[in-house]
Amino acid sequence: MRLEDESAPLREAVPAEYADIVVAVTELGSVTTLMMLLAVLFWWHDRRRSALVISYAVAGLAVLLSVETLLGLPRPPEDVWIASIEVDGYGFPSGHAFAAAVVYGGLVSAYDRGRDWRALLGAGTVVALVSLSRVVLGVHYLGDVLVGAGLGIAFVVLMDRLTRGAPTVGFAIALVLAVPAVYVTGAAPDALLGLGGAIGGVLVAGRIDRLPDLRSRLEAVVLLAVGGAIAVVVQVVETLVTFAPVLVALYAVLVAWVFLAPAVVSLLETAVRESRVA
């Protein structure tokens, strides 16, 4: 099922000196990269659609962690890894492949590009590259990434039908899924991230349609700088905390901040303008 023998030729096809490139590719499917991508899209583009995909990502995280933990299948042995990278969790299905399919596939769906071959090709290429990078690095077997990507696509289809384009519904589903995930995983950090993200989304997603529009390119740049800086600060604080309830609260604040940052920056810009006039 995991296609162990079929994975070896893929690992051997890429020389070890290209490991850094493969690591860069695999980062396209990491939680940090995907959430930053979605945050920027939310700040600069269509907020409702981007928020919907954020809810998919949070809900998907809970599903993946529950499935991985319940199956409990290990990763390939470390002697086949071609790079020293930090990995945790179990080996089946692949979290990076699943997350890439949920986010990039979710964006295609949420932005109504399902019949645009260029969008499908672009998203499919990224998902394939991320998935194959995990096999090349040696941290997953080919079967792990195929199942991970397949589950991700199926999850997007299911969430599309359940949410009907409503981010609040997506986050409510994420909250329902996150609670058992915390229990199943023994309150693993990523499970707490899913729970906190779901709570933050449920609390503030209803305000999305009332957020002010961007008024200038300068405001867009300020929003990225301020929004990104606060998000980084929250993540740094998170590394210093071990108490689970506080971690959940921090993750809730992080997601809530992504949604509320446009309003805060708009108020700051208005205040600056009024002070100059005065």
Side-chain angles (χ1 to χ4, degrees):
M1 179 178 67
R2 301 185 70 184
L3 304 178
E4 291 94 333
D5 294 337
E6 292 79 359
S7 303
L10 290 173
R11 291 196 303 268
E12 296 166 359
V14 179
E17 53 264 30
Y18 293 106
D20 290 342
I21 297 176
V22 180
V23 170
V25 171
T26 209
E27 282 300 311
L28 295 174
S30 70
V31 172
T32 301
T33 299
L34 293 175
M35 292 307 292
M36 193 63 209
L37 169 65
L38 293 174
V40 173
L41 286 174
F42 180 83
W43 292 334
W44 284 3
H45 205 257
D46 191 312
R47 288 169 180 162
R48 188 172 185 82
R49 295 174 193 262
S50 301
L52 182 65
V53 182
I54 292 174
S55 75
Y56 289 8
V58 175
L61 178 61
V63 170
L64 176 74
L65 292 171
S66 296
V67 172
E68 280 185 335
T69 304
L70 290 172
L71 293 177
L73 297 177
R75 293 182 181 275
E78 291 189 25
D79 58 8
V80 303
W81 297 6
I82 69 168
S84 298
I85 57 176
E86 292 185 9
V87 293
D88 52 20
Y90 297 99
F92 182 89
S94 166
H96 276 65
F98 177 87
V102 168
V103 172
Y104 298 112
L107 287 172
V108 170
S109 177
Y111 279 80
D112 297 323
R113 303 290 295 277
R115 296 185 178 181
D116 184 341
W117 68 268
R118 292 167 296 184
L120 290 172
L121 179 61
T125 299
V126 175
V127 173
L129 288 174
V130 170
S131 299
L132 290 175
S133 73
R134 305 303 286 173
V135 181
V136 171
L137 288 173
V139 296
H140 282 294
Y141 294 117
L142 181 59
D144 303 346
V145 299
L146 290 176
V147 172
L151 284 176
I153 294 170
F155 185 74
V156 169
V157 173
L158 178 61
M159 289 294 286
D160 279 347
R161 294 182 178 181
L162 293 176
T163 62
R164 297 187 180 276
T168 50
V169 176
F171 281 108
I173 294 172
L175 183 57
V176 171
L177 294 172
V179 173
V182 171
Y183 174 77
V184 168
T185 64
D190 283 346
L192 298 177
L193 169 59
L195 178 59
I199 293 172
V202 166
L203 292 176
V204 302
R207 301 172 180 263
I208 291 171
D209 294 332
R210 300 196 296 272
L211 291 172
D213 295 327
L214 287 174
R215 292 172 289 188
S216 66
R217 292 182 180 179
L218 176 60
E219 184 175 331
V221 173
V222 172
L223 177 55
L224 177 60
V226 174
I230 298 299
V232 170
V233 169
V234 173
Q235 289 180 316
V236 170
V237 173
E238 172 262 329
T239 63
L240 305 175
V241 176
T242 57
F243 188 47
V246 176
L247 281 172
V248 171
L250 281 173
Y251 294 137
V253 168
L254 180 60
V255 172
W257 167 250
V258 169
F259 289 157
L260 298 179
V264 173
V265 170
S266 179
L267 289 173
L268 290 174
E269 184 173 356
T270 299
V272 171
R273 288 183 177 182
E274 291 178 350
S275 66
R276 288 177 178 176
V277 172

